[in-house]
């Protein structure tokens, strides 16, 4: 019901104390509301004049208003706390994303994180509201009322005391039955409930297969089957609410009967009987409120749990030695020895873990990384880019030893060009100047001319100020890649380029056209280039061939092609039969 | 309320399943009635008992009624919930069928109108919103209004003036306050929605672009990206929350006023004799349970803006009337040639002409590859060939029949395989069988064997009954293509259109897949849109398009010999 980690959130304890005070106050106000209403009613019953009920009536009204005023204050406090705290959690989540970066994303899925940071936070906010207010109400209001009822009429007190455990028992039994029933049907159930969306998404396919017209009947049949099953499950699922309702209303009915009999037997006067009857529904109210929002509570609890699990995931942060200020030049050297990287269990990667003996990168070399898909190419270049923290590695930059490349000074030297570049929602200028937000318009223009963007920019009425990305103008894959190249040209203070299949999905002529600006960009840079497009290999000074996370061969392309090893085998497989 | 003026997605369905609907409303009313009656009879029982009647039988009837109402309330509520869900789900089945058939009628829907985003997800979510509209807004509101009317009438028969007075207070509670709060909150909610979608974009920028953020070292900008939207959204939400708190408080104040009226009224009019006075507590106490019915009306109204969007979106979708010429039956075996004669096409008069003077003559069994930069209209040509789009000038003919005349049995002539073939969330065998539902299990398995999936699938615990998962997620991209290929083999149409089926696959997988494609589709006519030259040796004819015209065409061997540009491209592709 309650996640214990909640109490560790800042401000929770103070909040609970304040709420406890307010709710206790509210309990007494509810009590007075009932008491003065009963007094007024007793006077009317005694056929007394209006004047005699004015005082109790006024006090009733004051108590009633005060009760809802306290409720308002209570809500205000909880809502403020909830929005502040959930905002803090969102901010922490973003920090985590930045810190743990891609490895976190590949584990949890990008979609999940976006949803968690938006809808998840809303659910959590709601959860705070429900859990704190309703739990407090359940804790304080019924006991206060019950004690008072005992002082008025012991038998009624006992009746009300007995009903609560009964309610809880019934709810547990029926809740379990419903759960069992739902579990048994769950698999079929999800298929049925997703069937419609599946059919809509597959409509073009159905159309191609000539099935789309006939399938309409199927939509109805399946939807009706879904209805039948839902109703079957619902019949049991809402039984627990029914049991709660039934026991509480019946409790009131039984109470009324006992009180009536007691009155006839002359064992108690009207006032205690009436006040008990009035307070009985108030006694059950917190329990009913709580159970009606039970499901919303569960959703919130799950959302909070999953966010906590992201936040608490321990970082395998080894003691890092900071890399000293670095400007990569033609004499620079990076040595990596005995590199071990293992993906954590459950991390949904499509690439191999790494076990690499030795790599050495020098000056403005061009290094190609090749291998079939899943061979660990991407993992290797992401480790070299400092996106992934190796489990073990001896790394030497120039002459300084470090154990990870996840270092600000290292990444300040990098420009990264992935297979599908991510364009930010903003102008083209913003996107080009991403590594260098203060760049002047002139610099941006110069860089994009070098990247071959000039012609394209001239077709855009708003030029560099054209808004792209989400909801903006769609931009073809080739132009997206050119924007990335322009970005790298602009960031002339970054001397290491990392490419991950930058042209694999482009059409051949676009790829052909991109070669020139890219080769231009290679100059005076250390280039690390993962690819399975054969023509790039010719441009490289040195090639690393990967298989199952290990380096099977490395050397210059000429060396490698001269003997029949992993390199030649791979090239032949990739090339296929020729004309 | 303008929304409902031309609405065809909500109003007509209220008339459906009338009996069930009436019983839902009646049961809702009975639930509230029993809740009030329980307190009424309890109050009376106690008051009457307090007069110490000589005969215990005098309170026997109210005691019995108390029990009956005590049981009646939860029972009616239980049945009402079941019936209302049943009604809503029945209507949902109708709505879904209708949405499906409407979308089905519009072939181009998928291509042009709704390229962006997950429109299908949105629409199916809209139907779920309509469910909630009924369950959370319409039913509770109608029941509260009926209760207001009946309650006021009951009081009005007793004392007309008091009845009218209470009626007015109740109207404020269930109509004035809800309407006013919708009006006040409308703009704020609208703004919140905009902010939320902008926030969504920015968080996506944060998360999908995290690599670039990390490399750039712009941590502050990363954090600040969403900050402005978050702040404004929270400020606006705080206002909404504060408004809601105050509104609920006002609703309670009105309720308190009604309670005081009842107290005064009963004291003034019902204290002439003891028998009357015995009803005082009954009348006053019966009021309180009704707050459960009356106060949530405002809450239901509050959700209106969300429903409004769904209703508007659904109403925007209109069935498309396809005016096809008289249909001709063409037997698959009779197919001889496919001709595109001087085809010109533009999506709309203000968009640039996409396809210019495109002419091809494709004989039975011929294999044609179509290349060109993205956005040049390669997929558009496939859609024109299928007849989903019609050219502005020029014609497209099969044998000598216009393509529009064979639409009825188009699936007998054409098969299509896309970049991301759609697999339904069911078993492998069911997915393949969709190609031709009349074929036996062994035929289906044979097709699966031909596409080279036999070993893989038989190694799985559920074999051919293995579920492919949502969007085929259980299988890799290359395997999904193969499953879709098996489906096409069963369909057995003479012309196969391949729309970049191998983009995004690694070259080894691609080679193997192309090998299988051209092997099993040997005797078919193939039009293959592709992005590079891997596997180009399989085709008889290559066509390169650019945005002006056909840049070069011919058989690959010929082009390699005679065309320098092609040679360069081929060498690059092969790394020669």
């Amino acid at each position: 019901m309650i996640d214990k980690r909640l109490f560790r959130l800042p401000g929770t304890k103070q909040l609970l104390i304040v709420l406890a005070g307010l709710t206790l106050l509210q309990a007494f106000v509810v009590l007075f509301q009932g008491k003065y209403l009963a007094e007024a009613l007793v006077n009317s019953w005694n056929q007394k004049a209006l004047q005699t009920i004015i005082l109790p009536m006024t006090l009733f009204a004051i108590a009633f208003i005060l009760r809802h005023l306290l409720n308002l204050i209570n809500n205000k406090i909880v809502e403020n706390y909830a929005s502040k705290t959930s905002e803090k959690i969102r901010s922490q989540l973003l920090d985590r994303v930045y810190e743990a970066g891609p490895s976190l994303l590949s584990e949890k899925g990008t979609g999940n994180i976006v949803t968690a940071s938006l809808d998840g936070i809303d659910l959590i906010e709601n959860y705070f509201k429900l859990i704190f207010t309703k739990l407090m109400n359940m804790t304080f209001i019924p006991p206060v009322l019950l004690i008072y009822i005992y002082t008025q009429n012991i038998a009624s007190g006992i009746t009300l005391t007995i009903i609560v455990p009964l309610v809880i028992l019934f709810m547990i039994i029926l809740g379990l039955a419903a759960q069992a029933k739902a579990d048994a049907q769950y698999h079929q159930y999800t298929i049925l409930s997703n069937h419609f969306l599946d059919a809509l998404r597959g409509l073009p396919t159905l159309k191609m297969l000539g099935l789309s017209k006939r399938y309409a009947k199927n939509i109805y049949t399946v939807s009706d089957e879904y209805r039948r099953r839902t109703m079957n499950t619902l019949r049991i699922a809402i039984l627990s609410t029914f049991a709660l309702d039934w026991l509480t209303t019946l409790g009131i009915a039984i109470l009324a009967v006992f009180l009536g009999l007691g009155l006839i037997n002359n064992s108690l006067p009207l006032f205690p009987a009436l006040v008990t009857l009035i307070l009985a529904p108030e006694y059950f109210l917190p329990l009913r409120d709580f159970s009606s929002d039970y499901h919303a509570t569960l959703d919130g609890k799950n959302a909070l749990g999953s966010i906590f699990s992201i936040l608490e995931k321990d970082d395998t942060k080894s003691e890092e030695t900071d890399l000293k200020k670095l400007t990569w030049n033609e004499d620079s050297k990076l040595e990596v020895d005995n590199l071990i990287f293992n993906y954590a269990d459950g991390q949904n990667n499509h690439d191999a873990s790494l076990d690499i003996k030795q790599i050495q990168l020098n000056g403005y070399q061009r290094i190609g990384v090749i291998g079939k898909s899943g061979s660990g190419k991407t993992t290797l270049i992401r480790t070299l880019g400092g996106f992934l923290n190796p489990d073990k590695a001896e790394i030497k930059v120039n002459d300084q030893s470090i154990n990870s490349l996840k270092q600000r000074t290292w990444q300040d030297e990098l420009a990264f060009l992935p297979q599908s570049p991510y364009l930010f929602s903003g102008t083209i200028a913003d996107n080009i100047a991403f590594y260098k937000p203060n760049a002047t318009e002139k610099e941006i223009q110069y860089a994009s001319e070098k990247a071959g963007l000039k012609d394209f920019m001239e077709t855009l009425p708003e030029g560099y100020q054209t808004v792209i990305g989400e909801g903006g103008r769609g931009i073809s894959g080739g132009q997206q890649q050119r924007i990335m190249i322009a970005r790298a040209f602009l960031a002339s203070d970054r001397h290491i380029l990392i490419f991950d299949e930058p042209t694999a999905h482009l059409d051949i002529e676009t790829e052909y056209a991109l070669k020139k600006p890219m080769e231009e960009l290679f100059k005076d840079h250390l280039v690390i280039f993962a690819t399975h497009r054969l023509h790039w290999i010719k441009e490289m000074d040195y090639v690393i061939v990967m298989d199952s996370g290990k380096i099977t061969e490395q050397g210059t392309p000429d060396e490698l092609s001269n003997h029949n090893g992993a390199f030649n085998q791979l090239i032949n497989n990739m090339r296929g039969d020729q004309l | 309320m303008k929304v409902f003026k031309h609405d065809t997605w909500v109003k007509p369905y209220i008339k459906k399943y009338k009996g069930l609907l009436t019983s839902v409303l009646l049961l809702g009313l009975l639930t509230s009635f029993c809740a009030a009656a329980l307190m009424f009879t309890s109050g009376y029982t106690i008051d009457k008992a307090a007069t110490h009647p000589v005969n215990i039988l005098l309170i026997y009837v109210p005691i019995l009624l108390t029990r009956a109402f005590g049981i009646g309330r939860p029972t009616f509520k239980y049945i009402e919930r079941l019936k209302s869900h049943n009604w809503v789900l029945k209507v949902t089945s109708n709505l879904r069928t209708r949405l499906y058939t409407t979308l089905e009628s519009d072939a181009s829907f998928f291509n042009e109108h709704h390229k962006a985003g997950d429109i299908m997800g949105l629409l199916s979510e809209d139907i779920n919103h309509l469910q909630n509209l009924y369950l959370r807004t319409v039913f509770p509101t109608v029941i509260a209004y009926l209760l207001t009317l009946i309650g006021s009438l009951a009081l009005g028969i007793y004392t007309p003036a008091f009845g009218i007075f209470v009626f007015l207070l109740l109207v404020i509670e269930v109509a004035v306050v809800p309407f006013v709060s919708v009006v006040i909150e409308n703009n704020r909610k609208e703004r919140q929605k905009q902010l939320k979608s902008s926030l969504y974009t920015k968080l996506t920028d944060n998360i999908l672009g995290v690599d670039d953020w990390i490399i750039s070292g712009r941590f502050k900008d990363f954090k600040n990206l969403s900050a402005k939207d978050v702040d404004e959204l929270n400020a606006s939400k705080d206002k909404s929350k504060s408004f809601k708190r105050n509104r609920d408080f006002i609703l309670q104040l009105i309720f308190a006023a009604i309670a005081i009226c009842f107290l005064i009224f009963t004291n003034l009019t019902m204290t002439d004799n003891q028998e009357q006075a015995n009803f005082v507590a009954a009348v006053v106490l019966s009021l309180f349970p009704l707050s459960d019915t009356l106060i949530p009306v405002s809450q239901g109204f509050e959700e209106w803006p969300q429903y409004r969007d769904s209703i508007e979106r659904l109403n925007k979708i209109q069935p498309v009337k396809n005016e096809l010429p008289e249909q001709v039956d063409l037997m698959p075996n009779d197919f001889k040639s496919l001709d595109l004669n001087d085809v010109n096409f533009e999506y709309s008069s203000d968009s640039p002409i996409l396809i210019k003077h495109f002419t091809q003559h494709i004989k039975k069994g011929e294999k044609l590859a179509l290349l060109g930069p993205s956005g040049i209209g390669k997929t558009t040509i496939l859609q024109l060939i299928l007849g989903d789009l019609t050219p502005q000038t020029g014609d497209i003919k099969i044998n000598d029949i216009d393509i529009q005349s064979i639409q009825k049995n188009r699936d007998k002539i054409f098969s299509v395989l896309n970049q991301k073939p759609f697999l339904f969330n069911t078993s492998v065998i069911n997915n393949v069988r969709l190609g031709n539902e009349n074929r036996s299990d062994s035929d289906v398995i044979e097709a699966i064997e031909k596409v080279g999936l036999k070993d893989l699938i038989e190694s799985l615990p559920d074999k051919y009954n293995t579920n492919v998962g949502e969007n085929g997620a259980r299988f890799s991209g290359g395997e999904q293509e193969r499953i879709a290929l098996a489906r096409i083999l069963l369909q057995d149409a003479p012309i196969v259109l391949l729309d970049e089926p191998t983009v995004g696959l690694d070259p080894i997988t691609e080679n193997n897949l192309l090998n299988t494609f051209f092997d099993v589709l040997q005797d078919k006519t193939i039009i293959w849109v592709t992005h590079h030259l891997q596997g180009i040796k399989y085709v008889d004819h290559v066509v390169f398009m650019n945005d002006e015209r056909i840049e070069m065409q011919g058989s690959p061997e010929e082009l390699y010999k005679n065309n320098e540009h092609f040679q360069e491209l081929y060498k690059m592709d092969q790394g020669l």
Side-chain angles (χ1 to χ4, degrees), chain B residues 409-478:
Chain B
N409 289 316
R410 187 177 82 181
D411 54 292
K412 300 273 179 293
I413 308 294
F414 291 107
S415 289
V416 180
L417 191 60
N418 291 322
Q419 188 187 121
K420 189 93 189 73
F422 189 84
L423 298 182
F424 293 86
N425 191 359
T426 171
S427 65
V428 174
I429 196 162
N430 283 344
N431 263 294
V432 175
R433 198 200 308 277
L434 283 176
N436 186 343
E437 289 178 306
N438 303 322
R439 301 290 278 274
S440 68
D441 276 8
S442 62
D443 287 346
V444 179
I445 290 171
E446 196 190 313
I448 294 174
E449 189 179 351
K450 272 192 191 151
V451 299
L453 281 178
K454 190 177 175 214
D455 291 345
L456 171 76
I457 287 174
E458 293 196 344
S459 74
L460 300 172
D462 291 327
K463 301 217 161 68
Y464 295 98
N465 289 320
T466 306
N467 197 289
V468 302
E470 203 177 326
N471 293 325
R474 170 79 182 69
F475 293 97
S476 75

Side-chain angles (χ1 to χ4, degrees), chain A residues 79 125 201 212 227 235, chain B residues 78 86 104 118 241 245:
Chain A
E79 281 171 354
E125 205 180 320
R201 293 202 170 125
S212 58
R227 176 188 65 83
R235 239 167 247 144
Chain B
Y78 176 73
N86 197 13
E104 201 273 334
D118 180 18
K241 282 181 210 154
R245 288 192 298 261

Side-chain angles (χ1 to χ4, degrees), chain A residues 2-21 77-78 80-82 84-86 88-89 124 127-129 131-133 135-136 304 308:
Chain A
I2 300 180
D3 198 314
K4 287 209 182 69
R5 291 173 287 195
L6 261 184
F7 298 107
R8 267 185 269 146
L9 293 171
T12 309
K13 284 194 185 119
Q14 291 93 307
L15 175 82
L16 288 177
I17 293 166
V18 173
L19 284 187
I77 293 172
V78 175
N80 282 347
Y81 165 85
K84 268 206 201 96
T85 309
S86 46
K88 234 176 257 160
I89 292 178
I124 288 173
Y127 173 65
F128 285 151
K129 252 161 52 185
I131 198 98
F132 288 131
T133 316
L135 268 185
M136 282 294 169
L304 188 66
F308 271 139

Side-chain angles (χ1 to χ4, degrees), chain A residues 45 47 79 87 95 122 125 198 201 207 212 227 235 249 408 422 434 508 512 533 538 575, chain B residues 70 78 86 104 118 196 205 214-215 218 223 241 245 274 278 425 531 568 573-574 576:
Chain A
W45 179 77
Q47 301 166 54
E79 281 171 354
E87 213 36 70
D95 290 348
D122 286 352
E125 205 180 320
D198 206 38
R201 293 202 170 125
K207 205 161 176 129
S212 58
R227 176 188 65 83
R235 239 167 247 144
T249 48
R408 192 64 260 145
Y422 185 80
F434 192 76
I508 183 119
Y512 185 77
R533 293 291 289 152
K538 289 206 307 181
R575 192 172 279 156
Chain B
Y78 176 73
N86 197 13
E104 201 273 334
D118 180 18
K196 213 170 163 180
D205 272 1
I214 291 175
I215 292 281
R218 293 166 57 187
K223 279 303 285 281
K241 282 181 210 154
R245 288 192 298 261
Q274 190 59 51
N278 284 343
N425 191 359
H531 67 292
E568 270 177 335
D573 195 79
Q574 295 287 306
L576 296 171

Side-chain angles (χ1 to χ4, degrees), chain A residues 61-302:
Chain A
I62 291 171
F64 189 96
I65 292 168
L66 214 54
R67 171 192 190 171
H68 291 287
L69 201 61
L70 283 172
N71 197 24
L72 186 148
I73 295 168
N74 191 323
N75 280 338
K76 192 177 155 98
I77 293 172
V78 175
E79 281 171 354
N80 282 347
Y81 165 85
S83 74
K84 268 206 201 96
T85 309
S86 46
E87 213 36 70
K88 234 176 257 160
I89 292 178
R90 184 185 347 242
S91 164
Q92 284 174 1
L93 190 67
L94 280 180
D95 290 348
R96 269 301 284 163
V97 167
Y98 192 84
E99 211 179 285
S103 65
L104 177 75
L105 296 184
S106 75
E107 189 174 340
K108 299 283 173 187
T110 45
N112 281 342
I113 302 234
V114 178
T115 320
S117 57
L118 205 64
D119 299 337
I121 298 291
D122 286 352
L123 284 176
I124 288 173
E125 205 180 320
N126 201 23
Y127 173 65
F128 285 151
K129 252 161 52 185
L130 294 179
I131 198 98
F132 288 131
T133 316
K134 304 218 161 166
L135 268 185
M136 282 294 169
N137 285 349
M138 265 217 310
T139 320
F140 289 105
I141 297 177
V144 169
L145 297 182
L146 192 63
I147 291 168
Y148 178 74
I149 289 169
Y150 268 108
T151 68
Q152 297 297 310
N153 181 273
I154 293 175
S156 306
I158 294 171
T159 315
L160 292 179
T161 315
I162 293 170
I163 290 176
V164 172
L166 266 182
V167 169
I168 293 170
L169 187 73
F170 266 83
M171 286 191 70
I172 290 174
I173 294 172
L174 291 167
L176 288 178
Q179 194 58 45
K181 174 107 178 158
D183 285 349
Q185 298 220 349
Y186 181 74
H187 185 63
Q188 273 303 311
Y189 205 71
T190 43
I191 290 185
L192 286 177
S193 73
N194 290 329
H195 173 269
F196 179 59
L197 186 55
D198 206 38
L200 283 189
R201 293 202 170 125
L203 190 43
T205 305
L206 289 171
K207 205 161 176 129
M208 297 303 175
L209 296 170
L211 298 172
S212 58
K213 287 232 158 36
R214 258 186 297 152
Y215 209 74
K217 213 186 273 167
N218 193 310
I219 299 275
Y220 188 85
T221 324
V222 174
S223 185
D224 210 52
E225 173 67 16
Y226 174 70
R227 176 188 65 83
R228 216 177 48 78
R229 282 179 192 260
T230 310
M231 293 310 296
N232 274 340
T233 314
L234 205 59
R235 239 167 247 144
I236 292 171
I238 61 174
L239 262 187
S240 59
T241 326
F242 170 72
L244 171 75
D245 259 1
W246 190 72
L247 281 169
T248 52
T249 48
L250 202 67
I252 295 168
I254 292 169
L255 202 66
V257 173
F258 279 154
L259 291 170
L261 294 177
L263 283 164
I264 288 187
N265 295 340
N266 227 344
S267 60
L268 81 163
L270 177 60
F271 175 78
L274 203 55
V275 85
T276 307
L277 180 69
I278 291 171
L279 290 178
E282 303 284 7
Y283 170 77
F284 291 120
L285 188 65
L287 187 62
R288 285 174 47 185
D289 270 353
F290 184 77
S291 77
S292 71
D293 283 318
Y294 180 68
H295 286 287
T297 321
L298 275 190
D299 288 346
K301 186 179 176 240
N302 292 340

